[in-house]
Amino acid sequence: MASASSSVGVLKTTLLVFVVVSSFELCCRARKLATLYQPPTDLMSYHQGVLLDGKLPLSILWYGRFTTTQKSIVSDFVLSLSPQHGKTVNGVSPKRPPVSDWWKIVETYTKLAKRENTHVTLSDQFSDESYSLGKILKRAQISELAKKASQKAKLTLVLTDATVTVEGFCMNNCGFHGAVSEKKSAFVWVGNSETQCPGYCAWPFHQPLYGPQNPPLVSPNNDVGVDGMIINIAGLLASTVTNPFSNGYFQGPAEAPLEAASACSGIYGKGAYPGYAGDLLVDSTTGSSYNAHGVNGRKYLLPALFDPSTSSCSTLV
């Protein structure tokens, strides 16, 4: 009798674990907050399409109200993508690892496709503090905002503040990328999730909505919303450069592709596992966690990217 009771207990425990794990996977399929994903070796097929290679002017459209500090956190990140940031200048070596080393992972895609390396430059910035299209936006309206950006830019970064709601935001995405056909250019949109869903789009700097409830990390720029945006901006920039018009590098169906960053979701450092972002660098003064150094003394947490040359998720630390 005791043996039968024990067996029933084990069965119940097994079923409970299965239900919890299944629920976690179902809820977080759109963006796995903390999943150590091991991609198959045949991931990332090249579909012979256009990549955003060579010189890539990027413009930023600030939709809503952002502080000067918030704008500088993002613009400094874009400037940090330059290969010049990772070089020794006048005998002074940059702090390791620099953001530009992370961007070299993206360049493995262009090299394999026998294209030029992608050099991102900050073209110009625009502000729409009057919320010209309102505070509740459809996905299609994001491309309308992108069209308003500089005609010089091949890539537009559309950023919405914490008061703006975008269709699908916090429900199945934290941002997305698309194309502006009239301009033959691409855009990336990311929203500030600080007040709407920080546990979904700003993890690991906020307690996650699902999965293991480990304490959140301290954000490197003391702004959970914007530091969360940096993670999503970085991942989407990598995915846009390598698959701008749905015929570049991706795996799976073109309408729901697994791309350079989404293939390694939830990984930021070596040893990552569900609920743990990985072994990261920690600032001795602020206690903040990061894995890359940027210009002007900035520190950032950047997502792992799938490296097609090694068929693995690559991190800086």
Side-chain angles (χ1 to χ4, degrees):
M1 184 67 68
S3 176
S5 176
S6 176
S7 298
V8 171
V10 171
L11 178 59
K12 287 182 177 180
T13 301
T14 302
L15 288 173
L16 178 60
V17 171
F18 176 79
V19 170
V20 170
V21 172
S22 298
S23 298
F24 173 69
E25 290 179 347
L26 178 62
C27 293
C28 303
R29 187 167 296 162
R31 177 177 184 267
K32 299 182 181 68
L33 295 175
T35 302
L36 179 56
Y37 178 71
Q38 296 298 333
T41 56
D42 62 344
L43 196 62
M44 293 304 141
S45 300
Y46 181 41
H47 296 78
Q48 306 304 313
V50 174
L51 306 180
L52 298 184
D53 61 338
K55 187 175 182 180
L56 181 61
L58 178 148
S59 65
I60 303 176
L61 175 60
W62 304 94
Y63 189 80
R65 298 174 184 176
F66 292 85
T67 67
T68 300
T69 298
Q70 289 177 324
K71 290 182 177 181
S72 66
I73 293 171
V74 176
S75 59
D76 281 349
F77 168 68
V78 175
L79 294 172
S80 300
L81 296 172
S82 169
Q84 298 301 318
H85 170 56
K87 295 182 177 179
T88 298
V89 179
N90 297 325
V92 179
S93 299
K95 292 183 178 180
R96 315 299 302 184
V99 171
S100 56
D101 277 3
W102 176 84
W103 191 247
K104 288 179 181 178
I105 306 172
V106 177
E107 293 178 345
T108 61
Y109 287 82
T110 53
K111 288 179 181 178
L112 288 174
K114 298 182 180 180
R115 306 295 178 85
E116 295 182 62
N117 286 339
T118 304
H119 299 296
V120 180
T121 60
L122 184 56
S123 175
D124 38 27
Q125 302 183 53
F126 305 89
S127 294
D128 186 345
E129 296 186 352
S130 64
Y131 305 97
S132 61
L133 299 182
K135 289 190 174 184
I136 302 177
L137 304 178
K138 297 291 186 181
R139 285 177 64 101
Q141 290 179 296
I142 298 298
S143 61
E144 291 182 37
L145 292 174
K147 292 177 187 177
K148 294 182 178 182
S150 171
Q151 296 296 315
K152 302 175 184 178
K154 292 182 180 179
L155 178 60
T156 302
L157 184 58
V158 180
L159 305 177
T160 52
D161 73 15
T163 68
V164 176
T165 301
V166 177
E167 180 183 9
F169 185 42
C170 294
M171 297 176 64
N172 52 34
N173 67 64
C174 303
F176 57 82
H177 68 90
V180 181
S181 57
E182 294 86 347
K183 294 173 58 178
K184 295 182 180 179
S185 60
F187 69 86
V188 168
W189 163 73
V190 174
N192 187 330
S193 66
E194 181 180 12
T195 58
Q196 297 184 53
C197 58
Y200 185 64
C201 294
W203 184 87
F205 301 128
H206 191 279
Q207 205 78 12
L209 290 180
Y210 312 104
Q213 296 296 301
N214 292 333
L217 303 180
V218 178
S219 63
N221 295 289
N222 197 34
D223 190 316
V224 170
V226 175
D227 278 317
M229 291 181 79
I230 290 294
I231 292 173
N232 293 295
I233 289 170
L236 284 166
L237 280 180
S239 296
T240 304
V241 166
T242 56
N243 187 35
F245 307 118
S246 300
N247 57 6
Y249 280 96
F250 66 90
Q251 186 75 5
E255 60 274 13
L258 196 60
E259 299 175 316
S262 57
C264 300
S265 187
I267 303 175
Y268 300 91
K270 290 182 175 61
Y273 57 80
Y276 179 60
D279 300 331
L280 306 176
L281 300 174
V282 178
D283 187 289
S284 59
T285 301
T286 64
S288 63
S289 297
Y290 64 100
N291 60 9
H293 291 273
V295 301
N296 298 321
R298 293 285 182 197
K299 296 179 177 68
Y300 297 105
L301 183 66
L302 306 180
L305 298 178
F306 183 81
D307 186 339
S309 66
T310 61
S311 295
S312 64
C313 292
S314 183
T315 63
L316 288 176
V317 296

